[in-house]
Amino acid sequence: MQTIIHIKNLVKEFEVVKKQKGLAASFLSLFKREKIFVKAIKDISFDIKEGELVGFLGPNGAGKTTTLKILSGIVYPTSGEVTTLGYIPSERKEKFQKQFALVMGQKNQLPRAMPAMDGFLLIKAIYEIPDAEFNATLEELTELLDITSFLDIPVRKLSLGQRMKCELVAALLHGPKVLLLDEPTIGLDVTAQKNIREFIKKYNREKKTTIILTSHYMDDIKELCERVIIINHGEVVYDGKLALLMEKYAPHKTISITTSISLHIEKLKSYGELIQNEEFAAVFKVARADAKHLAARLIESDLGVEDILIHEASIDDVVRHIFSQKSEAKI
């Protein structure tokens, strides 16, 4: 498959003024300011192929949004190689700008005082979309996202979920080959999140659009992304399949049982590593590969097992573990 996004040794520094303490120092800073450089991105490299839907993870301040802005040409890199669809984004060539879209969950693309439909017509004019193409695309997207009933309502009067659906339509009207999604489900209720996720999954599958998705909701990542790139302190700390991430950083599962008879700790220990026990319940820690075998032993035992559950570590816990390891390494 063709490489759509290429980043090699990307660095981005921001120049900031160092704030001095005290009134006198603040006054002096009007005439002489001490400037420092902060590295938002230190040195990251990765490639993304055509049609991939990649989760881009990291804590606040890790450099995710800055990277997306560099890929879209909004922010200039300090150094390194960056290409999107074969173009250098910072050159902002017209042909490139018509082939990508950036959706930021916390910022509006559509004018708030106008109905969504008027905003769509404005985008049609900006991108010079032919009438037939615009009408066909709009009909398809409005049907997929079920927004027909509120197209003529000013954007400011829409709910957050309705507005996010309209923002997605606005971003996709010109048929971008690359879609950069920065927290598209932030602040939405569970139902709205699910609807947005289902739409993104279907759109990626049918259109083969290359998508980078940032999100703090791990359900978004679990439902949509086979591959994840994790950055922390401006550096890539993991790039690979989500399933392999779980295997590498969550090598164990837990098995919980409830029983009809009183449990004795010594007998329980004979089955494996016991991490919690009560009179009629116990929890074991077990290697992923051995989980099914242990579960079968427990069911067939004389412990009087009435219920048994096998628990997978959450993606949230795994990612937090990676961040903590990286932070500790830097201390």
Side-chain angles (χ1 to χ4, degrees):
M1 287 189 292
Q2 181 183 359
T3 296
I4 298 298
I5 292 172
H6 170 69
I7 291 180
K8 184 177 180 181
N9 303 126
L10 174 62
V11 175
K12 178 57 186 178
E13 294 180 339
F14 289 100
E15 183 182 290
V16 297
V17 176
K18 187 176 181 180
K19 177 68 175 176
Q20 301 292 339
K21 294 181 180 179
L23 183 60
S26 296
F27 178 76
L28 289 174
S29 69
L30 295 173
F31 305 97
K32 185 178 180 181
R33 298 184 176 184
E34 182 181 354
K35 295 181 180 179
I36 59 175
F37 291 90
V38 176
K39 280 190 176 181
I41 300 172
K42 294 182 180 178
D43 183 4
I44 66 174
S45 301
F46 60 80
D47 289 334
I48 296 178
K49 303 290 186 181
E50 183 179 11
E52 279 196 276
L53 201 171
V54 179
F56 197 39
L57 307 179
N60 291 330
K64 304 187 300 298
T65 301
T66 299
T67 302
L68 295 190
K69 287 181 176 179
I70 289 172
L71 287 172
S72 60
I74 297 173
V75 172
Y76 287 79
T78 301
S79 63
E81 298 177 14
V82 182
T83 59
T84 305
L85 295 161
Y87 296 92
I88 298 174
S90 58
E91 293 180 352
R92 300 180 182 178
K93 292 183 177 179
E94 184 179 350
K95 285 186 178 180
F96 163 67
Q97 292 182 321
K98 288 186 175 183
Q99 295 187 70
F100 84 92
L102 171 63
V103 178
M104 305 181 73
Q106 301 187 63
K107 292 189 177 180
N108 297 320
Q109 177 182 191
L110 293 168
R112 290 178 59 82
M114 297 169 57
M117 189 63 209
D118 289 353
F120 297 158
L121 291 171
L122 180 61
I123 289 168
K124 174 182 180 295
I126 291 172
Y127 285 95
E128 300 176 325
I129 306 171
D131 290 345
E133 180 184 332
F134 173 80
N135 292 331
T137 304
L138 181 62
E139 182 179 356
E140 178 185 13
L141 293 174
T142 53
E143 184 177 329
L144 280 172
L145 284 166
D146 190 24
I147 65 170
T148 307
S149 62
F150 49 83
L151 286 179
D152 296 324
I153 299 174
V155 172
R156 69 173 185 275
K157 293 185 177 180
L158 299 178
S159 69
L160 188 56
Q162 292 172 332
R163 180 182 66 77
M164 198 63 238
K165 288 182 177 182
C166 290
E167 291 287 342
L168 281 171
V169 172
L172 299 173
L173 282 171
H174 63 290
K177 294 180 180 178
V178 172
L179 180 59
L180 308 174
L181 299 174
D182 190 21
E183 301 284 357
T185 61
I186 191 167
L188 302 184
D189 60 44
V190 175
T191 301
Q193 288 178 22
K194 184 175 182 293
N195 291 338
I196 296 295
R197 282 197 296 266
E198 288 178 351
F199 170 76
I200 293 170
K201 183 188 295 185
K202 184 174 182 179
Y203 191 87
N204 169 253
R205 183 175 64 247
E206 294 182 354
K207 303 294 184 181
K208 307 301 181 185
T209 303
T210 304
I211 301 175
I212 297 182
L213 167 70
T214 79
S215 180
H216 282 97
Y217 297 118
M218 289 302 154
D219 283 345
D220 290 350
I221 304 302
K222 184 172 65 175
E223 292 291 328
L224 295 173
C225 307
E226 290 187 7
R227 174 187 174 192
V228 293
I229 298 171
I230 302 176
I231 64 171
N232 196 20
H233 300 296
E235 299 175 310
V236 174
V237 296
Y238 181 83
D239 180 359
K241 290 187 177 296
L242 181 59
L244 294 179
L245 173 73
M246 299 300 291
E247 289 181 12
K248 181 177 181 180
Y249 290 97
H252 297 92
K253 294 185 179 183
T254 58
I255 298 179
S256 304
I257 61 170
T258 55
T259 65
S260 59
I261 63 174
S262 182
L263 298 172
H264 299 285
I265 188 167
E266 292 304 320
K267 192 169 185 178
L268 289 171
K269 285 182 178 179
S270 68
Y271 287 91
E273 184 178 350
L274 184 66
I275 58 176
Q276 183 181 331
N277 73 285
E278 299 174 6
E279 186 176 1
F280 298 100
V283 180
F284 298 89
K285 181 179 178 181
V286 60
R288 296 175 64 93
D290 299 332
K292 289 183 180 179
H293 176 67
L294 177 56
R297 282 185 62 204
L298 290 166
I299 291 171
E300 295 170 359
S301 71
D302 58 356
L303 296 174
V305 174
E306 290 189 331
D307 193 16
I308 186 166
L309 295 171
I310 301 177
H311 302 277
E312 179 83 67
S314 71
I315 302 176
D316 304 61
D317 291 338
V318 171
V319 172
R320 276 195 294 270
H321 176 63
I322 294 172
F323 293 159
S324 64
Q325 279 191 333
K326 192 66 178 177
S327 298
E328 288 169 4
K330 288 180 173 294
I331 293 173

